[in-house]
Amino acid sequence: MSSTLTSTRPGRDRRLGTRTRRAVLITHIASAGAWFGIDVAMAVVIFTAMTATDPATRVLCLQALEIFTVWPLLVSGLLCLLSGIVLGLGSKWGVVRYWWVTVKLVLSLILIALVPIALRPEVTQLARQARQWVAGDPVTFDLSNLIYPPIVSPTLLLIAMTLSVVKPWGRIRSARPGRLAARGGRA
């Protein structure tokens, strides 16, 4: 069997070869693990910053967030999304053929979009305030918006991982023109 796309039915579904599928699956699992790991590390740093009584600890945590959250989250999230799409296109599961795959796709898109839209501006602003504090300027830190990312993202990632194992809900029914005619026009 070839290590690239193969097809058991000419002109129909294209399947990944065994070696290619394994490589893409390992990439998908590793990137999902990295994504989840970054989220867990982010949670530790955020909750440390929130509970720190020493301003220097809080500042150090906010500077660390700027370094290791936004770009690593985007890279691991995009790699997970792209490898998932390749797996879907190259397997019987498809990308929008089964509910569980479609829900995973939507969750991934939401989480990836939230990084530059919601997380990056907040982390950048707080890191800027941390630099002002280091420079000796008085700063009041409001970390209340940082409580959501370490709760929402790992929770949704765990749901996506669970869907990969459980595979609930079955196929998405689509109304193909040939199927409608065979049923007498009923959807």
Side-chain angles (χ1 to χ4, degrees):
M1 181 176 272
S2 170
S3 65
T4 58
L5 286 176
T6 60
S7 178
T8 54
R9 297 178 290 183
R12 302 294 298 250
D13 295 331
R14 307 225 2 121
R15 304 279 189 234
L16 293 174
T18 304
R19 282 180 268 154
T20 303
R21 183 186 174 284
R22 284 182 186 157
V24 175
L25 182 60
I26 288 168
T27 301
H28 187 64
I29 292 169
S31 59
W35 191 356
F36 187 75
I38 295 165
D39 275 339
V40 169
M42 180 177 64
V44 169
V45 172
I46 287 172
F47 290 126
T48 300
M50 289 180 158
T51 59
T53 55
D54 176 26
T57 302
R58 180 172 291 150
V59 164
L60 183 62
C61 289
L62 296 175
Q63 290 173 330
L65 279 177
E66 184 179 38
I67 294 169
F68 85 87
T69 55
V70 174
W71 294 112
L73 279 173
L74 277 176
V75 170
S76 60
L78 288 171
L79 189 57
C80 189
L81 175 68
L82 292 175
S83 60
I85 289 171
V86 169
L87 284 170
L89 292 173
S91 72
K92 69 178 183 175
W93 301 112
V95 178
V96 289
R97 191 178 298 159
Y98 286 85
W99 282 110
W100 68 271
V101 179
T102 304
V103 170
K104 279 184 59 175
L105 175 66
V106 170
L107 290 176
S108 294
L109 289 170
I110 290 169
L111 288 174
I112 291 168
L114 283 174
V115 172
I117 292 170
L119 182 65
R120 183 173 185 248
E122 189 68 26
V123 167
T124 302
Q125 175 193 349
L126 289 169
R128 187 179 316 112
Q129 288 178 334
R131 286 189 293 276
Q132 289 173 336
W133 184 86
V134 169
D137 297 337
V139 176
T140 303
F141 295 106
D142 179 14
L143 305 178
S144 60
N145 287 337
L146 282 183
I147 195 151
Y148 302 108
I151 295 170
V152 172
S153 187
T155 301
L156 294 181
L157 286 174
L158 280 174
I159 289 169
M161 290 175 185
T162 302
L163 292 175
S164 294
V165 174
V166 177
K167 298 176 179 51
W169 307 316
R171 286 183 72 111
I172 297 173
R173 300 207 195 313
S174 63
R176 291 187 215 149
R179 289 175 65 186
L180 282 176
R183 292 181 178 177
R186 293 175 301 197

